[in-house]
Amino acid sequence: MAGESDNDRAVLQHLIPALYPRCPKVVAINDKIKLAPALLQLSPRVETLRDSALRMAAGCDAELVGVVVHADLDEVSNQRYEQVRERITSQMRKILPCHSALALSAVEMESWLMLFPDAFPKVRRGWAMRPEDRRKDLTMLANPKEHLKRHLGKPPYRESDSPKIMAEAVKLRQVSARPPGNNKSFRDFADQLAAWKNK
């Protein structure tokens, strides 16, 4: 599993086993490989990712079952989201010698966290998501990180809180492929992981 930041990778450490319970072990690839902004130089980056994953599997004397990569799209979900997702997914399938899943969050990972509003007050008692935010199409929220800082409550949200929020969502048994709320980028990722079971 790879991601753009330590916090993103830590979120995936909780999220992947919740969505794919057959997952034997999740191991983080700590190389910071950015795929979304690199569409013109995608193949070498995916090859680097492949080499790192194979090296880690060999070092653990383990079989490489699959590779999950997180990337923030850094823009709202639109036609470009579909193009970026298709391009990266096809390169991963072509180059990686195992299952793959792309956690391409539109706009940022925080929009995925917002699918689990009951987890926020478990991390900080003063936090509560606004009722209107529970009904939004979260892929169209232009800056979810800043939105949480402004509207969640005190103390202000920090990116380092994200793994704790996902851990609480898992503890509450709220993480599923189709949680309440609306976020297509989360559903696309969950569907790719679900397809691993059928192969």
Side-chain angles (χ1 to χ4, degrees), residues 111-126:
S111 68
W112 289 16
L113 299 176
M114 291 173 72
L115 290 168
F116 312 105
D118 295 343
F120 287 90
K122 297 288 185 184
V123 175
R124 302 268 188 257
R125 270 186 299 199

Side-chain angles (χ1 to χ4, degrees), residues 14-27:
H14 299 292
L15 181 58
I16 293 167
L19 290 174
Y20 185 59
R22 292 172 52 198
C23 179
K25 183 177 182 182
V26 178
V27 178

